[in-house]
Amino acid sequence: MVVHVACVAFCWVNACTAKKRTLPMPKKGNPAAAEGEEVPSKQRKTGPSAVPTPLNFTSPSSLFQSLIAPLGLQEFFQEYWEKKPLFLQRSDPGLATYYQSLFQLSDLKALCGQGIVYDRDVVLCRCVNGKKNVLSKQGRVNYSQLKKDFEQKKVTLQFHQPQRFKDELWQIQEKLECFFGALVGSNVYITPQESQGLPAHYDDVEVFILQLEGEKHWRLYEPTVPLAQEYSLEPEERIGSPTHDITLKAGDLLYFPRGTIHQADTPVGVDHSTHLTISTYQKMSWGDFLLDVFPSFLFDSMRSDITLRAGLPRKLLTVASPPPGTTKQLCSFMRDLADKMERGQLEPHSVGMKRDFVSNRLPPYVQDDLAFTPAGKMPALEDLVSMKFVDHILVTVEPSEEITDEAVELVVFLLHSLANSREDHMMGNDAEEEQKHGSRGLRFALSHLPALRQLQSGERHLVANLQLDQDADKLNLALSLWSEGLLMVC
Ligand SMILES: *[C@@H]1O[C@H](CO)[C@@H](O)[C@H](O)[C@H]1NC(C)=O
Ligand SMILES: *[C@@H]1O[C@H](CO)[C@@H](O)[C@H](O)[C@H]1NC(C)=O
């Protein structure tokens, strides 16, 4: 079979509908509003942080583990994840100092110098008598003006996606995206004394709140929509009394599941509060997965099953009540599809969700972009090789062209996030719209799937032992991965 190897930034095939990144809530304004504004200067490497980190960056799970310490991973997922809030009160000065180093009010001065703009990067809001007021502003942010609004109008400064500017947050969120296998966004909220930024509401994401500076008083309420799929305000009279009434101090962490109603204010006697909201698992439910997998699965079944291609009863769409047996017939089709899947006659392929993740996530945290270029010895048949950045690649199986009635050739894509833009992370510039930031990858004939799965496991393999028939194909595969900066000779 002919091997297609193409090192191109291709646009999405079968991409799910264009959607704006809205993590975390409240929903961000239309990024187009900031059009024409220059993008803040390219990332500035701030160098190694002077504050010792209590986080363990060895692996994605050690990072998450150290974030929720002293609680264990297993206990977290059994007791709290998607179930109930978790409040970790630390009273640890070392941790407080580290959290403060992640982002603080005074950082805004330097950031204003870099050219941040209202709406895209910063929103000013204040909740008065249960109503949200947004101080509408446009253009470049002037630090002394910002300070003035903060002190005199008591607005909350909501800073979007600070991982674009702060290396430590880039490193944390990149590891969390590996850990969850899902996009991870963040916002910073800075609220002055005796003020509240947002009214009681709930979000469609799992959130981790890190208290960075000062203190914040939080009230959480029983969800009206458990595991909510949308952001929503909740009127005071519907929320009842709080299930949790707590005050976070620097170094503390609070987790709560999507749907948890919450509101927070900076108490009297605290100069200001700064917290970071890290959020994940937006549209990552079983239902979302079914939506992704089912249409192409059904389409494939229609090609092999004439009963699915048989016409509907006449006037089914227009009659007042469908003929008897309609529901029964639909159920029978669905059962039949499930049976086919179970017997392995047809394989479900997730493409939209996979591509969405790989093309919008953070690139690997590296000190030097040279880490992404091919390096070291070129692989030969007798070499032992392994994948680099194995947490940043995934494999999809897709039709080679537009789906038609004829049997179509399936191909394999190996996609990676090495060329993704840190500056655009979670900013709503979907990779689909901005082709220059589209996910990068390689395309192979379906016969390469077993060999790709071998390599994706992260283990070392002899090129000669890759599961392909011809030696030339084995070598070609190794060379194309090496050229893309994804493979090294051990
Ligand atoms: C960090 O995590 C790794 C892997 O789990 C572990 O081996 C190591 O001991 C941890 N380091 C610290 C300082 O806890
Ligand atoms: C920022 O705003 C202040 C007034 O609040 C003004 O005096 C100053 O010139 C402005 N700075 C810049 C760089 O525009």
Side-chain angles (χ1 to χ4, degrees):
M1 204 177 252
V2 185
V3 183
H4 309 273
V5 178
C7 295
V8 288
F10 39 74
C11 52
W12 291 13
V13 183
N14 295 345
C16 52
T17 50
K19 56 189 169 206
K20 298 284 173 236
R21 289 285 142 226
T22 55
L23 300 194
M25 301 313 303
K27 282 197 165 69
K28 288 217 339 79
N30 179 3
E35 230 175 308
E37 298 289 346
E38 70 201 83
V39 172
S41 56
K42 212 163 150 58
Q43 64 221 41
R44 281 172 203 202
K45 301 274 158 76
T46 45
S49 163
V51 182
T53 177
L55 299 178
N56 184 339
F57 289 96
T58 309
S59 70
S61 74
S62 69
L63 185 270
F64 185 72
Q65 170 76 74
S66 61
L67 190 68
I68 58 163
L71 197 73
L73 271 188
Q74 204 187 355
E75 196 182 353
F76 176 76
F77 283 103
Q78 257 167 27
E79 303 287 324
Y80 299 98
W81 175 251
E82 293 189 330
K83 295 189 185 79
K84 65 179 186 206
L86 165 70
F87 175 33
L88 292 173
Q89 211 170 358
R90 259 81 171 250
S91 330
D92 177 343
L95 201 55
T97 308
Y98 174 72
Y99 272 23
Q100 183 170 17
S101 77
L102 295 176
F103 200 106
Q104 49 199 298
L105 176 59
S106 56
D107 285 340
L108 285 169
K109 193 167 183 177
L111 288 167
C112 286
Q114 283 186 46
I116 55 173
V117 299
Y118 286 110
D119 196 36
R120 182 188 67 192
D121 303 313
V122 184
V123 168
L124 310 184
C125 57
R126 184 173 181 195
C127 171
V128 181
N129 300 325
K131 290 266 176 299
K132 178 180 170 180
N133 301 306
V134 176
L135 190 60
S136 111
K137 294 255 177 187
Q138 281 192 340
R140 222 174 135 146
V141 184
N142 170 330
Y143 182 67
S144 49
Q145 190 57 53
L146 187 70
K147 212 62 210 299
K148 220 167 166 184
D149 289 333
F150 183 70
E151 281 159 10
Q152 295 175 359
K153 303 200 172 122
K154 293 195 139 197
V155 289
T156 289
L157 313 179
Q158 181 184 333
F159 191 87
H160 298 145
Q161 312 302 340
Q163 71 278 12
R164 294 175 294 149
F165 303 95
K166 295 291 224 168
D167 282 3
E168 194 77 4
L169 293 178
W170 174 16
Q171 195 181 2
I172 292 171
Q173 288 178 235
E174 184 252 311
K175 279 274 185 292
L176 289 176
E177 287 185 334
C178 295
F179 179 72
F180 287 110
L183 295 172
V184 173
S186 75
N187 275 353
V188 164
Y189 296 86
I190 311 178
T191 306
Q193 179 168 183
E194 271 196 282
S195 179
Q196 176 169 344
L198 301 167
H201 69 277
Y202 59 81
D203 300 316
D204 61 347
V205 281
E206 301 298 298
V207 300
F208 296 86
I209 287 151
L210 281 59
Q211 186 67 28
L212 310 181
E213 289 186 302
E215 296 179 12
K216 197 106 186 223
H217 169 232
W218 283 82
R219 281 169 292 168
L220 310 182
Y221 307 80
E222 204 64 52
T224 43
V225 185
L227 303 183
Q229 304 183 78
E230 299 185 322
Y231 159 88
S232 177
L233 292 173
E234 275 294 345
E236 269 317 308
E237 61 274 15
R238 275 192 55 184
I239 60 180
S241 48
T243 56
H244 298 70
D245 191 316
I246 51 187
T247 300
L248 263 63
K249 300 196 166 99
D252 290 349
L253 181 143
L254 174 66
Y255 157 82
F256 50 83
R258 56 193 186 277
T260 306
I261 300 163
H262 57 278
Q263 55 183 332
D265 59 277
T266 304
V268 189
V270 174
D271 178 71
H272 68 274
S273 159
T274 305
H275 78 260
L276 175 74
T277 298
I278 296 177
S279 58
T280 189
Y281 258 59
Q282 186 176 50
K283 296 201 180 351
M284 280 290 289
S285 67
W286 279 109
D288 293 306
F289 189 61
L290 264 173
L291 284 172
D292 188 27
V293 162
F294 201 72
S296 65
F297 179 70
L298 183 57
F299 205 93
D300 289 347
S301 309
M302 286 174 74
R303 214 177 294 123
S304 57
D305 183 352
I306 190 169
T307 62
L308 286 169
R309 301 202 299 271
L312 291 172
R314 275 190 316 107
K315 294 171 70 173
L316 180 76
L317 305 179
T318 51
V319 290
S321 53
T326 303
T327 304
K328 211 167 159 228
Q329 181 62 63
L330 280 176
C331 292
S332 146
F333 279 133
M334 287 192 277
R335 264 184 219 106
D336 203 40
L337 286 172
D339 289 344
K340 271 190 191 147
M341 198 184 283
E342 203 158 65
R343 287 196 298 266
Q345 284 166 305
L346 275 173
E347 254 193 272
H349 299 296
S350 158
V351 173
M353 284 175 79
K354 281 184 171 183
R355 281 189 172 258
D356 183 36
F357 177 50
V358 75
S359 57
N360 287 299
R361 64 185 296 194
L362 281 165
Y365 173 80
V366 290
Q367 304 287 338
D368 187 344
D369 291 347
L370 282 177
F372 297 151
T373 54
K377 183 183 178 303
M378 270 171 76
L381 269 181
E382 64 280 6
D383 282 329
L384 203 54
V385 295
S386 72
M387 296 293 278
K388 291 153 82 178
F389 307 108
V390 77
D391 286 329
H392 280 264
I393 59 168
L394 57 76
V395 169
T396 63
V397 177
E398 306 177 31
S400 62
E401 56 206 285
E402 279 298 291
I403 295 177
T404 64
D405 231 7
E406 307 289 325
V408 293
E409 186 197 5
L410 290 174
V411 292
V412 186
F413 286 93
L414 182 132
L415 306 170
H416 67 80
S417 46
L418 270 51
N420 285 7
S421 152
R422 171 198 180 187
E423 289 79 13
D424 288 342
H425 184 239
M426 304 304 281
M427 292 302 288
N429 309 321
D430 213 299
E432 190 180 15
E433 294 155 38
E434 302 231 335
Q435 274 199 29
K436 60 176 176 154
H437 296 142
S439 56
R440 290 271 305 253
L442 303 169
R443 169 183 155 143
F444 300 99
L446 191 61
S447 57
H448 286 57
L449 189 57
L452 287 169
R453 290 204 169 131
Q454 264 180 301
L455 289 165
Q456 201 188 358
S457 73
E459 286 155 23
R460 299 158 172 219
H461 294 276
L462 276 177
V463 175
N465 288 348
L466 292 176
Q467 290 172 27
L468 278 162
D469 288 343
Q470 308 292 327
D471 279 353
D473 288 345
K474 298 174 189 176
L475 192 57
N476 256 333
L477 173 62
L479 284 172
S480 57
L481 294 174
W482 180 86
S483 309
E484 191 73 0
L486 294 172
L487 187 110
M488 62 182 175
V489 175
C490 305

